Amino acid sequence: MKIITLLFLTVLMFGCSNEGQMISVNPDRVSQLEALLEEKKFVESSVYFYPGAPDEVTRLQAELVINAAIVSILKVSESEISEDEFWGIIEVAARALSVMDSEEMDRGFTYFEQIMDVFEIASSGGRLNQWRYGFDPTIQH
């Protein structure tokens, strides 16, 4: 529950930002997000080579993180969300997943990619890699 509280508090902080490009939130996208919200998450998936959460408590904790991010995106606006708000919400969820096992983190990030697909966002600009592995692949060393 602490994770969810932290997630919502941070989303409120980012929710005040209105900078960056705007992303359209249309009825089709809302419908897709609502369908994803209803989906039981962190169950075994051969498509994602994911064995499933080790127990129901872990599964529910991880699912709550993803669901809270989806709800936050839906609550920001009925017509559009700024890129800053979108990535702020995803970053908070990524940080919440970072305290979990690597399998749940990896599967959680595939949910982020599904959310990106809903908004037709082709790239995170290195954000997902930075949050998951600690480096941006677009920066050459």
Side-chain angles (χ1 to χ4, degrees):
M1 197 49 103
K2 290 179 185 177
I3 292 173
I4 300 305
T5 303
L6 176 64
L7 180 65
F8 284 119
L9 289 174
T10 307
V11 167
L12 287 175
M13 273 186 0
F14 282 103
C16 296
S17 172
N18 207 14
E19 299 173 14
Q21 229 176 359
M22 301 304 285
I23 302 169
S24 171
V25 180
N26 59 42
D28 182 51
R29 289 177 175 166
V30 169
S31 177
Q32 289 179 61
L33 289 176
E34 287 173 343
L36 183 57
L37 186 62
E38 294 301 318
E39 182 180 304
K40 185 174 181 178
K41 297 167 190 68
F42 295 90
V43 294
E44 182 178 356
S45 171
S46 59
V47 172
Y48 295 105
F49 304 103
Y50 177 66
D55 54 61
E56 186 62 9
V57 171
T58 302
R59 190 195 72 71
L60 286 172
Q61 288 174 334
E63 182 175 277
L64 280 172
V65 170
I66 301 302
N67 285 350
I70 294 169
V71 167
S72 295
I73 290 168
L74 289 169
K75 285 187 175 186
V76 168
S77 173
E78 293 181 10
S79 61
E80 60 185 13
I81 182 173
S82 75
E83 284 188 12
D84 291 344
E85 289 169 320
F86 178 86
W87 289 116
I89 290 167
I90 300 299
E91 181 178 10
V92 169
R95 290 181 190 273
L97 288 174
S98 72
V99 300
M100 299 181 179
D101 287 339
S102 61
E103 289 85 3
E104 281 63 56
M105 289 174 60
D106 289 341
R107 182 63 180 109
F109 277 62
T110 63
Y111 286 113
F112 297 153
E113 290 171 345
Q114 284 180 259
I115 295 167
M116 289 169 56
D117 288 346
V118 167
F119 289 99
E120 299 174 3
I121 299 171
S123 171
S124 71
R127 290 176 183 92
L128 295 182
N129 203 76
Q130 180 69 42
W131 298 330
R132 177 62 183 97
Y133 301 108
F135 69 93
D136 182 345
T138 63
I139 298 174
Q140 295 185 0
H141 300 243

